Amino acid sequence: MNSNGLHHRVAALMRERNWATMTKVQELALEPILKGRNTLIIAPTGFGKTEAAILPILSKMMDEGCKPVSLLYITPLKALINDITIRIDWWASKLGLLVNRKHGEVPQKEKNQRLKRVPHILVTTPEGLEIDLDWASRFRENYKNVKWVIVDEIHEIVGSKRGAQLFILLERLKEFSGTDFQRIGLSATVGNPKFVASTLFGSSTRQRSIVKIDEKKDFSLVVRKVDEGNNVWSDSAKAIEESIEPPTLIFTNSRFLTERLHEELERLGKSNIYVHHSSISRDSKATAEESLRAGKAQAVLCTKTLELGIDVGKIKKIVLYRPPPSVASFLQRLGRSGHCVGGIPKGEIICVQNFDCLEALAIYNLSRKGVVESPRNGSPLDVVSREILGMVLQYSSIDAERVYRVITSSFLYRKLKRSDFQRLLDYLAKNNLIQREGDELRLGKSFFRIWTFKKDRNFSWSRSFSEFFSLINNDDTFVLRYNDRPIGEIDAIYVYKHIRPGDLLRIGGKLWRVSKIHNGKLSIELVPAERGEGEIPVWKGEGVPKSHLLPMEIQSILSDFNNSLKSQVLDQKSREELSKLMEPYLTRGAPLPNSSIVYVEKIGNETVYSTLIDEKVANTLAHMLLYVATSKHSLNVYARASIYGFSISVTERDLLDELLNVKGNRLKRLILKAILRSPLFVSVQKEIQVSFGKIGKLDPREDSLVIREALRQTVMRYFSIKKTLSFIDKLRKGEIRIVHVEPSTPLGEAVLSHAPIRPWISGIQALLYDVLKGGAYTLSELSEVLSIPPKSLEVKLKQMRRADSKYRVTSFIDVDSRETRWCLIDELKTFASSDEFYTSFAPINGEETLIASLRPLHGSSTSEVIFKPNQILENPEDFTKKIPMDEIGELKIVDPVDPMVCNMSPRYYFVRRDVIPYLLLNASAYIQNMKYT
DNA sequence: GACCTGCTGCGGTATG
């Protein structure tokens, strides 16, 4: 034993490495870890957290002796696994301990060895642990020896489904091994250390410690504003060029921006600049990383890919192109230059929009105050479902009560009710994912149909078995095509929210017009386009969700505006930009924007409500306005949402004011309806349903469990019902003032720079089919039921009456009300003989001779059929034989003697031969009714 | 939403 408590062999190795002193975090972590406490270590990157955890554990392994596998090291990235394995191995190999790594890209040969020589230390991902517990029937026996678990970069997963998964896995491991192993978490700065600790420590009864390094690493920051010239791109590139001090990391908030800026920097003659993001090949990424380490790269343009702790060598400067979305990512990104020996890290935020300066300053202020976002986690049920299945895989047959006990021992699921768990089991059993014999659970028949080993998938819903272990969702993407040639890809959700036929898109430097969107095939047809109006700025990426801390911090900046302007980090230009931004308010003597005032302004065809507001509340309000607008106006509207307010493309009426008049439960219902109609809800349903074994279309009665869960998750991620209700309440009480202004305000203009959200009535045809089933309705009745404007419905119904339609409809005249009614074409016959519509199909004079005129689908040559209504009534089936074609383009009644009849006759378009008799009865009844009454 | 992250085990063949 050494003076600092470490085993003498570990201490000797430290001397060998010339580690005279430990970092502060290493010192602080030593005691709690050596004492066997569960420990959460919180410190910025570059403080030596890994060693802070590893050294005392290695020391304990020496002291206490250990059987393989005794230490499990979990980290979220494959690249980190490789790094860490090498780092740990330096110590471990000298202590006679074996280290192994496990992730999807480790060669099979290396993986196979672990059964022959079982490692003392295993480094893997959450998914790797899932695989081992569920499926590695032999190796998992070694997990019974685990005494320590380290979770690295825990801030990255604590708020995600991956986190929820891992925390249940740890409980499963505890139950399987029968050991209350020691848990150690390594985290960057977070706002809620206690929550992070609780989720990690779970049901462990060990004492707990949180080791937190508060000392902020010193750094220098400059907030700059790009000079406004003619071209944002070249202006931005120039600004970046000035900022580069090799080697520099340049962070952007989208992949597109890295590419676009790279192109522009090359145009300026800069070389040795690389690009790094998730969509480029592994080789290119490796090249970029290596040239950084070798000091060859001047700079690398990157997205979040380089935010985590992958070793990239010494970085001189960090440039943030436009403000990062959160304080946490700001600190992480700046921390990438932390390994710089001697000098303090240098950072620079380059602002493009004027409000960027506000955000940059806010992020900086927050970081200085030590305020950081708090990752939260709900208790997603799809994760529970997967873990139930995982346990069934592991044990072949397992008692339901035991599964319930293990899952609820995890902190996140401690409140999961037994009844809800039972309902979930019922549902899984119904979908054949599991089968039950008494209280015993076994695997159901559907399991290996969904997660299959077969290469040629049986059906479209099946997934590879390997995907079962991961809760990372692969979103659908639309393929953009021109003449069947792929041009690019766009995330499905972006398409649903923002893109419609006729839009102009810029892809690969070229301008295209969207000609068709095939939802089923997930493809979009493009045609080349010339310069035009209404280009959709995909690149603007204003959809970046921003920290919920921003609105309040911006408010506090504005509340003491003159002082805020004195901030050291602002350069001359950005300072001027900020005063210019606020000038319009000051000159008209209006209060600077804050959360208790909403400026209502009409800009172009939009009504903008500008204020400082939580993004989720703005999103909820935008969707509500969109819902109200689409049910009363047309589908051709859009809304926007941002921390600077929200807007709706309706100016004739003040829709927010109308919302204020909706009270109580009706308001809650309206919010719910608005959310249920958003594409976000649809995409969450799609994401989670497979975990429950549900395939195909969801049925509100059968699948209420998935639907309710999807709604819960949608609201949690994107909306905020409670805060929105409170916002509306404050508006009503006047606690938030509404002020109409003209002309527009600067933050009102800022709202307009955010991408428009457009309504997407998914499966409107199927919706209509469901409503029409068993009934015949007028347009206004349908509009009422569906909250979709009659005009939009009419267009759809007219498409649906065509021969190639999946849900074919037709229409007839209601003789009593003289309105058109729509119904399913196959049900027309039923209505013709029903009491409800008796008069509409009962001619007054059955012996009158009439002439039916039939125009075929193509061409204009009409045929005529002479008939008496009674003839039809006698035998409608027989009458159809007189019709000379299967499909009729237009049907009407003519009378060569009486041209009035011709004018009065209703016309029926795109009808099928077998319904002609009934439509002729309808036409005769109508005409005679007009003539005789 | 923008972005990112991950993804069979085991024991058996046949071959050099």
Side-chain angles (χ1 to χ4, degrees):
Chain A
M1 187 76 77
N2 197 273
S3 60
N4 53 14
L6 288 171
H7 189 272
H8 66 91
R9 288 181 66 188
V10 177
L13 287 176
M14 287 177 67
R15 282 193 298 276
E16 186 183 332
R17 265 213 150 166
N18 289 326
W19 274 22
T21 52
M22 294 179 122
T23 65
K24 192 166 175 199
V25 68
Q26 287 164 351
E27 266 172 30
L28 287 174
L30 204 56
E31 190 191 317
I33 296 181
L34 285 176
K35 281 193 174 158
R37 292 195 196 141
N38 288 331
T39 309
L40 176 63
I41 303 176
I42 299 178
T45 30
F47 276 64
K49 272 175 293 187
T50 303
E51 283 73 15
I54 282 292
L55 296 185
I57 290 178
L58 287 174
S59 169
K60 281 167 87 75
M61 289 169 97
M62 291 291 103
D63 282 339
E64 301 170 15
C66 61
K67 280 188 269 178
V69 173
S70 53
L71 167 59
L72 189 59
Y73 194 109
I74 310 266
T75 176
L77 295 185
K78 289 182 284 196
L80 283 178
I81 291 180
N82 298 338
D83 268 13
I84 298 278
T85 306
I86 294 169
R87 259 163 81 187
I88 297 182
D89 192 55
W90 187 92
W91 305 88
S93 59
K94 291 169 199 269
L95 297 169
L97 299 170
L98 185 61
V99 188
N100 265 193
R101 56 180 184 151
K102 175 197 163 72
H103 60 69
E105 282 163 32
V106 174
Q108 196 58 47
K109 221 176 140 188
E110 187 180 332
K111 279 191 200 167
N112 289 342
Q113 278 174 353
R114 67 178 190 159
L115 270 179
K116 294 177 196 127
R117 282 185 70 206
V118 183
H120 300 92
I121 301 170
L122 182 64
V123 189
T124 187
T125 57
E127 290 76 13
L129 177 57
E130 178 85 58
I131 291 165
D132 281 351
L133 284 184
D134 295 356
W135 193 240
S137 52
R138 278 198 52 198
F139 188 80
R140 72 170 162 239
E141 288 302 312
N142 300 303
Y143 276 102
K144 289 187 170 155
N145 298 323
V146 167
K147 288 165 87 174
W148 300 278
V149 173
I150 299 177
V151 180
D152 197 359
E153 308 279 0
I154 195 171
H155 58 278
E156 268 300 307
I157 53 167
V158 71
S160 70
K161 289 188 180 177
R162 260 184 122 185
Q165 174 188 25
L166 176 61
F167 301 133
I168 295 182
L169 284 171
L170 293 183
E171 297 306 328
R172 285 178 56 188
L173 179 60
K174 177 172 170 241
E175 205 252 2
F176 176 65
S177 65
T179 311
D180 185 7
F181 48 80
Q182 187 178 355
R183 310 184 188 199
I184 293 160
L186 312 181
S187 175
T189 319
V190 286
N192 50 348
K194 280 192 180 152
F195 175 81
V196 177
S198 297
T199 52
L200 172 66
F201 300 158
S203 69
S204 170
T205 55
R206 284 169 181 266
Q207 285 193 302
R208 41 190 68 189
S209 286
I210 296 180
V211 172
K212 189 164 182 266
I213 298 297
D214 271 325
E215 75 185 58
K216 283 152 222 144
K217 248 201 292 196
D218 221 11
F219 59 82
S220 76
L221 183 78
V222 179
V223 174
R224 300 177 55 195
K225 169 77 172 60
V226 168
D227 288 320
E228 275 163 76
N230 298 326
N231 185 314
V232 205
W233 299 117
S234 55
D235 301 338
S236 296
K238 268 178 225 150
I240 291 173
E241 190 191 21
E242 290 164 18
S243 296
I244 292 176
E245 290 173 38
T248 294
L249 281 184
I250 305 158
F251 284 95
T252 73
N253 297 325
S254 80
R255 286 169 284 186
F256 175 82
L257 281 174
T258 60
E259 299 284 354
R260 189 66 186 81
L261 291 170
H262 183 247
E263 184 188 326
E264 207 64 41
L265 281 165
E266 275 189 336
R267 209 167 283 171
L268 289 178
K270 287 296 255 186
S271 57
N272 280 331
I273 295 190
Y274 298 80
V275 171
H276 198 285
H277 57 71
S278 68
S279 304
I280 65 171
S281 70
R282 168 185 317 284
D283 282 352
S284 321
K285 270 191 275 189
T287 314
E289 288 162 29
E290 272 157 32
S291 48
L292 266 179
R293 279 191 289 263
K296 216 179 79 194
Q298 295 264 307
V300 173
L301 279 151
C302 62
T303 58
K304 203 191 156 191
T305 39
L306 287 184
E307 201 172 289
L308 278 183
I310 302 157
D311 180 30
V312 282
K314 292 189 179 83
I315 303 295
K316 183 106 180 256
K317 191 170 178 185
I318 304 292
V319 172
L320 306 167
Y321 181 75
R322 306 202 59 187
S326 65
V327 184
S329 74
F330 172 69
L331 292 173
Q332 283 279 122
R333 290 175 185 189
L334 267 189
R336 298 310 286 148
S337 73
H339 311 280
C340 210
V341 183
I344 47 170
K346 259 189 181 177
E348 208 166 290
I349 302 181
I350 298 184
C351 300
V352 177
Q353 305 265 22
N354 48 14
F355 54 85
D356 285 356
C357 304
L358 269 181
E359 289 172 30
L361 186 57
I363 295 260
Y364 170 76
N365 287 352
L366 286 164
S367 76
R368 274 298 163 209
K369 284 189 250 176
V371 181
V372 191
E373 292 78 16
S374 305
R376 300 253 170 242
N377 207 327
S379 39
L381 266 190
D382 48 332
V383 178
V384 175
S385 180
R386 293 274 190 111
E387 290 306 314
I388 292 173
L389 294 168
M391 290 182 82
V392 173
L393 269 179
Q394 177 180 359
Y395 295 100
S396 303
S397 164
I398 184 169
D399 189 69
E401 186 55 31
R402 188 170 161 208
V403 178
Y404 178 72
R405 218 176 47 233
V406 171
I407 286 171
T408 50
S409 64
S410 142
F411 180 81
L412 291 179
Y413 294 98
R414 68 197 185 283
K415 288 181 182 158
L416 177 67
K417 286 195 205 124
R418 190 173 258 101
S419 56
D420 288 332
F421 180 73
Q422 278 303 335
R423 254 190 293 275
L424 175 56
L425 289 184
D426 291 343
Y427 188 64
L428 295 182
K430 192 173 82 181
N431 291 334
N432 284 320
L433 271 188
I434 55 170
Q435 56 181 47
R436 290 195 279 193
E437 288 156 29
D439 291 332
E440 289 291 298
L441 309 180
R442 288 172 187 281
L443 212 56
K445 280 183 299 210
S446 290
F447 183 91
F448 286 113
R449 260 183 245 158
I450 294 179
W451 291 284
T452 176
F453 292 95
K454 289 183 193 136
K455 283 262 161 55
D456 51 332
R457 309 283 167 76
N458 292 340
F459 60 110
S460 62
W461 282 87
S462 72
R463 312 239 176 131
S464 157
F465 178 61
S466 58
E467 286 176 62
F468 171 74
F469 306 107
S470 170
L471 278 153
I472 295 172
N473 180 39
N474 287 321
D475 288 331
D476 286 338
T477 51
F478 274 79
V479 181
L480 303 163
R481 291 175 200 279
Y482 170 54
N483 281 344
D484 274 348
R485 240 189 36 245
I487 304 293
E489 279 185 2
I490 302 186
D491 286 350
I493 190 69
Y494 192 87
V495 175
Y496 295 142
K497 262 190 102 169
H498 304 301
I499 295 179
R500 300 294 175 264
D503 287 347
L504 288 174
L505 304 177
R506 187 173 291 280
I507 291 140
K510 278 196 195 130
L511 205 56
W512 304 88
R513 186 176 295 281
V514 174
S515 81
K516 247 185 186 167
I517 302 179
H518 299 287
N519 190 19
K521 287 193 287 180
L522 289 176
S523 89
I524 293 181
E525 279 175 39
L526 299 177
V527 288
E530 296 299 315
R531 277 189 64 81
E533 295 215 339
E535 181 178 345
I536 302 290
V538 175
W539 58 271
K540 257 190 180 167
E542 280 303 336
V544 187
K546 286 172 188 156
S547 167
H548 68 279
L549 299 172
L550 273 180
M552 287 317 284
E553 184 56 31
I554 290 176
Q555 172 157 336
S556 97
I557 287 174
L558 296 184
S559 71
D560 190 9
F561 192 54
N562 287 329
N563 253 327
S564 302
L565 280 185
K566 291 180 190 149
S567 174
Q568 298 284 329
V569 294
L570 297 170
D571 78 345
Q572 191 52 34
K573 185 85 174 64
S574 62
R575 191 168 288 134
E576 281 167 22
E577 197 66 28
L578 277 175
S579 17
K580 240 177 19 200
L581 187 62
M582 289 305 128
E583 204 177 72
Y585 298 96
L586 299 171
T587 50
R588 71 176 86 166
L592 290 185
N594 65 74
S595 60
S596 36
I597 189 162
V598 176
Y599 287 114
V600 185
E601 40 203 293
K602 286 182 182 159
I603 311 179
N605 64 342
E606 283 179 59
T607 308
V608 179
Y609 304 90
S610 93
T611 178
L612 290 174
I613 188 172
D614 185 287
E615 210 168 21
K616 286 182 179 174
V617 176
N619 196 38
T620 311
L621 287 161
H623 277 80
M624 290 168 82
L625 295 179
L626 201 59
Y627 181 80
V628 174
T630 50
S631 46
K632 287 184 184 158
H633 297 256
S634 82
L635 291 180
N636 192 23
V637 288
Y638 55 83
R640 302 180 204 257
S642 87
I643 58 169
Y644 303 112
F646 47 96
S647 81
I648 181 79
S649 65
V650 172
T651 48
E652 312 82 76
R653 293 158 47 199
D654 187 341
L655 294 184
L656 181 66
D657 195 53
E658 290 177 25
L659 274 189
L660 297 188
N661 292 322
V662 184
K663 298 266 159 71
N665 277 335
R666 277 179 55 226
L667 188 64
K668 262 191 207 160
R669 264 209 304 281
L670 197 150
I671 297 184
L672 228 48
K673 280 189 188 167
I675 295 173
L676 288 173
R677 187 175 279 182
S678 90
L680 301 168
F681 174 59
V682 178
S683 79
V684 173
Q685 287 184 62
K686 253 191 154 168
E687 173 191 318
I688 69 170
Q689 70 176 100
V690 178
S691 292
F692 298 98
K694 175 64 191 181
I695 270 135
K697 208 177 160 239
L698 295 172
D699 182 313
R701 288 174 305 273
E702 298 283 305
D703 305 308
S704 60
L705 188 141
V706 190
I707 293 173
R708 285 210 331 258
E709 176 64 13
L711 182 61
R712 205 170 68 106
Q713 291 189 21
T714 311
V715 171
M716 186 133 113
R717 276 188 234 174
Y718 310 116
F719 298 93
S720 180
I721 296 180
K722 238 172 124 181
K723 284 190 198 163
T724 303
L725 287 173
S726 133
F727 181 86
I728 291 175
D729 193 50
K730 282 185 185 160
L731 279 176
R732 279 201 200 113
K733 288 186 186 147
E735 286 168 26
I736 298 178
R737 269 199 304 145
I738 294 184
V739 178
H740 291 260
V741 283
E742 214 177 330
S744 58
T745 67
L747 289 196
E749 299 280 352
V751 173
L752 296 189
S753 71
H754 293 72
I757 308 161
R758 292 144 121 185
W760 172 283
I761 310 296
S762 67
I764 188 170
Q765 297 204 359
L767 217 63
L768 271 168
Y769 174 82
D770 279 345
V771 172
L772 285 174
K773 231 186 293 174
Y777 302 99
T778 64
L779 268 186
S780 56
E781 285 168 351
L782 289 171
S783 164
E784 179 95 357
V785 174
L786 294 168
S787 303
I788 294 171
K791 267 266 184 303
S792 311
L793 285 179
E794 194 175 7
V795 172
K796 274 290 158 200
L797 287 163
K798 282 180 177 170
Q799 286 168 11
M800 287 167 73
R801 67 185 174 192
R802 289 171 174 271
D804 58 359
S805 161
K806 192 171 157 195
Y807 309 105
R808 197 164 179 189
V809 300
T810 193
S811 62
F812 64 89
I813 302 269
D814 183 330
V815 171
D816 296 330
S817 67
R818 296 187 180 167
E819 283 175 303
T820 302
R821 285 189 182 274
W822 292 84
C823 67
L824 302 181
I825 195 164
D826 294 325
E827 291 183 348
L828 181 68
K829 195 177 153 185
T830 329
F831 294 123
S833 51
S834 73
D835 292 343
E836 197 183 355
F837 299 111
Y838 173 77
T839 43
S840 298
F841 296 93
I844 297 168
N845 176 4
E847 287 303 317
E848 187 178 4
T849 303
L850 295 156
I851 302 168
S853 153
L854 308 117
R855 189 160 54 74
L857 274 185
H858 305 288
S860 53
S861 59
T862 55
S863 317
E864 296 189 339
V865 176
I866 302 172
F867 71 98
K868 287 178 185 175
N870 277 348
Q871 262 179 305
I872 301 179
L873 285 167
E874 256 164 50
N875 191 342
E877 305 274 313
D878 212 38
F879 184 80
T880 53
K881 289 177 191 151
K882 292 190 184 173
I883 314 294
M885 51 196 118
D886 286 337
E887 291 287 343
I888 295 91
E890 182 186 347
L891 169 72
K892 62 182 177 190
I893 287 182
V894 292
D895 185 339
V897 191
D898 186 355
M900 268 296 284
V901 169
C902 193
N903 288 339
M904 277 191 291
S905 170
R907 284 148 204 249
Y908 307 89
Y909 297 92
F910 304 108
V911 289
R912 206 164 62 196
R913 187 216 295 253
D914 63 299
V915 297
I916 299 275
Y918 309 102
L919 293 178
L920 286 178
L921 286 177
N922 179 234
S924 325
Y926 179 72
I927 291 166
Q928 291 178 348
N929 203 280
M930 298 280 279
K931 273 204 296 195
Y932 303 147
T933 59

